[in-house]
Amino acid sequence: MIERMKVLKGMVLCLTILCICVIIILMNTSSSSVTSASVKMSEKQYKTANGHSDMLNDSTVSIIDAKYAHMKYGTTLVAAQTNIPQSHSSHHVSNYTFTAQDLHRHYAFSPDSAHDVLVFIHMQKTGGTTFGKNLVKNLDLKTPCKCKKNPKLRCSCYNSGGDRQWLFSRYSTGWMCGLHADFTEWTECLADGEADRLEGFHRDRRYLMFTILRDPIDRYVSEYLHTARGATWSGAKLRCNGKSPTDIELPFCYTGESWEGVLLDEFLDCPHNLATNRQTRMLANLSLVNCYSANFTHSQTQDILLQSAKNNLLQLSHFSLKEYPAESQVLFEHIFNVKFVQPLDDLKPNTIHDTRDYFNSLKTNIQEKIYSANSLDIELYKFASELFFARYKYVLNLRRQNSL
């Protein structure tokens, strides 16, 4: 009898263990299904997103959608902590806390100021060419830029006395600090006295730096298509700590004069491709990682670059988002105390659908490679969007208070 009881107890124990194992397996399967569904939803949101309303009213702020709510960073699936709706701004929960100093931007800029100079950091494939033309042809100023095309557009943007330039940009001063000079190049170049050499004399200057960011996936695809058509920025100096990188530090991804006809797989697989996380690299202080001798794929290096880019973005006088020209105009006009003659929204080139359609046509595994390759830019763009719309809401509140 005792032996039979022992056998029964053993059977009960085995059944209990078996039930526990089945429950664990079911829970893991359910969790896996939820994670998979989350990724698919993210991809669907990305593919169907067509931007947001171009002009916001006083009570509604449209914020970047949740296209990056679940994203693969390397091999780790990371869920974003924030819910980013497209509705009323008061419903938005931010990942970041910004101080009044972070949000307040207002400069009594004037072309006739003895000190002020606008400096445009023009990153590739962010809409900078269109915006650069607006700077020299579309600002309502007493002393506007004088432009001519012979054969390329070139403008002189001087004060009323004709001896001081108030804009450093592609169409006013050319690539004075290098082809598509980044934050590191601009700061080193100006500190080295390039502005004095340009104007022929020394004066104390207050540099009001600004830039444009773009959705990182659209930007990357746009750069790939541009490169595949034969475009190249091989003339870029990429100076850091007073020198350009050597061929050993930064080998070319191609041989010959261009990378025309490059396949997307090749473009993605080149470890030295500067298109990867371009916006983070161009806004970071590269001297913090010993310039181009650093391994940009190393996690510690990436952390330093991303944090530096965020810090510099906070310190810039202004930045725009390509996807939001009308809101960018509101901020630019408020911050610099100037007006555009024609709304920037009217001049928005309709190219976003070309890059998005191309991306949507790619296989899922290729899309995921693009996401993973540009994880730093994705994180930077999230941060930039939070800050951008916090500043936009701040300006709307100021206007509301001033109208009372």
Side-chain angles (χ1 to χ4, degrees):
M1 185 69 179
I2 295 174
E3 292 297 327
R4 293 176 66 182
M5 288 295 292
K6 288 182 179 179
V7 171
L8 286 173
K9 286 182 180 180
M11 292 177 64
V12 170
L13 180 61
C14 290
L15 286 172
T16 302
I17 293 173
L18 179 62
C19 289
I20 292 173
C21 290
V22 170
I23 290 171
I24 292 173
I25 291 171
L26 289 174
M27 289 178 65
N28 287 338
T29 303
S30 175
S31 175
S32 175
S33 299
V34 171
T35 303
S36 177
S38 298
V39 173
K40 290 179 180 178
M41 178 60 71
S42 171
E43 292 172 1
K44 183 178 180 182
Q45 287 173 332
Y46 185 89
K47 291 177 181 179
T48 57
N50 289 316
H52 309 275
S53 59
D54 287 325
M55 177 56 75
L56 282 67
N57 58 40
D58 285 353
S59 62
T60 305
V61 176
S62 178
I63 301 181
I64 179 176
D65 62 12
K67 66 181 71 171
Y68 303 125
H70 298 82
M71 193 59 55
K72 285 184 177 178
Y73 290 78
T75 58
T76 304
L77 190 65
V78 179
Q81 299 175 357
T82 184
N83 176 31
I84 308 179
Q86 299 183 34
S87 54
H88 197 280
S89 60
S90 63
H91 296 165
H92 176 60
V93 178
S94 175
N95 275 334
Y96 305 98
T97 300
F98 299 115
T99 66
Q101 185 178 359
D102 295 332
L103 302 182
H104 180 75
R105 288 290 187 278
H106 187 71
Y107 305 96
F109 167 77
S110 168
D112 283 325
S113 166
H115 307 292
D116 290 350
V117 181
L118 298 180
V119 179
F120 180 30
I121 302 175
H122 180 178
M123 297 185 287
Q124 289 93 322
K125 311 311 293 179
T126 59
T129 297
T130 299
F131 188 71
K133 292 178 180 177
N134 277 281
L135 291 173
V136 296
K137 299 176 70 175
N138 192 32
L139 283 176
D140 186 11
L141 301 170
K142 292 181 179 179
T143 54
C145 299
K146 297 178 181 178
C147 300
K148 59 182 180 179
K149 201 168 184 180
N150 186 29
K152 295 183 178 180
L153 181 67
R154 180 53 61 91
C155 307
S156 58
C157 302
Y158 286 91
N159 65 337
S160 56
D163 61 339
R164 295 191 298 269
Q165 299 199 54
W166 54 267
L167 174 64
F168 291 171
S169 72
R170 171 186 178 181
Y171 294 114
S172 58
T173 55
W175 304 110
M176 58 179 285
C177 288
L179 178 63
H180 284 284
D182 56 28
F183 177 86
T184 302
E185 290 179 286
W186 269 113
T187 51
E188 289 188 6
C189 168
L190 295 175
D192 193 40
E194 184 61 28
D196 288 351
R197 289 188 284 272
L198 179 73
E199 292 187 330
F201 62 92
H202 174 75
R203 63 181 172 109
D204 292 331
R205 299 176 181 86
R206 179 174 69 161
Y207 296 114
L208 304 176
M209 291 187 171
F210 58 97
T211 191
I212 302 177
L213 285 86
R214 183 180 181 182
D215 176 291
I217 303 304
D218 287 339
R219 199 217 65 78
Y220 184 85
V221 170
S222 180
E223 179 162 345
Y224 161 67
L225 295 173
H226 194 60
T227 302
R229 291 191 292 265
T232 175
W233 295 286
S234 59
K237 298 177 181 178
L238 304 174
R239 293 180 65 83
C240 177
N241 285 345
K243 68 181 186 68
S244 297
T246 65
D247 291 342
I248 296 176
E249 291 174 326
L250 186 64
F252 277 92
C253 289
Y254 58 90
T255 57
E257 295 184 357
S258 74
W259 211 0
E260 185 174 3
V262 59
L263 299 177
L264 182 56
D265 282 335
E266 297 177 67
F267 195 78
L268 275 164
D269 290 341
C270 178
H272 312 291
N273 190 348
L274 294 179
T276 304
N277 291 315
R278 178 180 287 282
Q279 294 175 107
T280 301
R281 177 182 56 80
M282 291 189 69
L283 290 176
N285 180 357
L286 297 181
S287 64
L288 295 176
V289 295
N290 200 21
C291 305
Y292 291 92
S293 63
N295 180 357
F296 284 0
T297 63
H298 192 278
S299 60
Q300 185 176 3
T301 300
Q302 291 185 340
D303 289 344
I304 294 172
L305 290 174
L306 180 59
Q307 189 57 53
S308 176
K310 289 180 178 179
N311 291 341
N312 290 336
L313 201 62
L314 267 173
Q315 298 305 317
L316 290 182
S317 300
H318 167 68
F319 68 89
S320 297
L321 297 182
K322 181 183 185 297
E323 291 74 20
Y324 302 94
E327 294 85 350
S328 295
Q329 178 175 344
V330 168
L331 285 174
F332 188 96
E333 292 181 341
H334 169 81
I335 290 170
F336 295 122
N337 196 34
V338 296
K339 295 290 184 182
F340 287 97
V341 177
Q342 184 179 359
L344 294 184
D345 189 45
D346 292 349
L347 302 173
K348 180 181 178 182
N350 189 25
T351 58
I352 188 170
H353 298 295
D354 296 338
T355 55
R356 204 161 280 174
D357 288 345
Y358 180 84
F359 179 82
N360 291 342
S361 71
L362 299 173
K363 294 181 179 179
T364 302
N365 66 314
I366 300 298
Q367 292 180 357
E368 288 297 333
K369 285 184 68 174
I370 295 175
Y371 284 137
S372 181
N374 292 280
S375 61
L376 299 185
D377 271 9
I378 288 172
E379 182 59 35
L380 178 65
Y381 191 76
K382 286 182 185 179
F383 174 81
S385 299
E386 295 273 4
L387 178 57
F388 178 87
F389 283 104
R391 287 179 176 173
Y392 183 76
K393 182 180 178 182
Y394 178 82
V395 171
L396 292 185
N397 288 336
L398 285 179
R399 290 184 174 182
R400 188 180 298 112
Q401 292 170 9
N402 293 335
S403 65
L404 296 178

